[in-house]
Amino acid sequence: MAQAQNRRADPVDERILWELRRDASQTNAALAARVGLSPSATHARVRALRESGALGSAHADVDFAALGLPLQAIVAVKLRAQARPAIKTYAEKVSRLPNVLNLFFLGGQTDFLIHVVTTSPEQLRDFVATRLSMDPAVASTETQIVFDWVRTSARAAGFDDMRGPIG
């Protein structure tokens, strides 16, 4: 994704982003109708949002179980203190592993959360034991099985709801 240029999106840009977050596969004409702009104006705004870095690529929701990959897990990884200077190198290496869907670099006791998908508990065990735990940079791992995933973006009406007070 392009480097964000720290410009605040106006309300129309935010509506476009929200609608694309809700359904990135909609046509430009459908998006234009939802945000109340002409298709050409909508296309120009989407292009500008991409160029600014505010909008990255669209993603598909894939049913991994339907593809023979029914088991998802989140693996917490803590690196050895001596490995911390090479944290970016570790992240790049892990992000290229074939079973890795997402990689989160954290502050706190855990350095990374790694979202993986596998064919079975045995493949998950082997992945964690050989691809993660045996890395000399790793101090410890803890694996949590994902039972289900619920998309939550529809709970808010837009970004202003997300910026508002909690409670």
Side-chain angles (χ1 to χ4, degrees):
M1 181 157 72
Q3 182 68 27
Q5 297 174 1
N6 290 333
R7 82 165 178 76
R8 181 153 168 112
D10 68 19
V12 176
D13 286 345
E14 284 198 1
R15 179 71 194 265
I16 289 169
L17 291 168
W18 188 258
E19 291 299 329
L20 289 172
R21 172 136 172 81
R22 190 183 56 73
D23 180 7
S25 68
Q26 64 187 300
T27 65
N28 185 64
L31 177 61
R34 292 189 70 87
V35 300
L37 293 177
S38 70
S40 61
T42 302
H43 180 72
R45 282 181 174 258
V46 169
R47 186 176 61 245
L49 288 165
R50 285 192 194 285
E51 289 171 359
S52 75
L55 178 62
S57 65
H59 300 275
D61 285 335
V62 176
D63 182 347
F64 292 102
L67 299 171
L69 295 159
L71 186 61
Q72 293 185 48
I74 306 293
V75 183
V77 174
K78 182 174 183 173
L79 298 183
R80 297 185 187 284
Q82 304 87 324
R84 294 194 191 278
I87 208 156
K88 286 185 181 180
T89 304
Y90 179 81
E92 290 169 8
K93 179 172 54 172
V94 170
S95 70
R96 289 191 301 267
L97 295 175
N99 297 76
V100 174
L101 298 178
N102 297 291
L103 177 68
F104 303 94
F105 176 43
L106 309 173
Q109 294 295 315
T110 299
D111 293 306
F112 292 97
L113 289 181
I114 304 169
H115 180 198
V116 300
V117 62
T118 63
T119 60
S120 64
E122 294 79 17
Q123 188 188 38
L124 175 61
R125 176 202 60 217
D126 293 346
F127 178 82
V128 173
T130 62
R131 298 283 180 109
L132 299 179
S133 295
M134 289 185 64
D135 189 302
V138 173
S140 65
T141 64
E142 182 178 340
T143 304
Q144 304 291 321
I145 302 297
V146 174
F147 290 132
D148 202 356
W149 175 66
V150 178
R151 181 176 291 274
T152 59
S153 64
R155 294 181 189 209
F159 294 112
D160 285 339
D161 279 359
M162 297 169 96
R163 289 188 195 102
I166 305 296

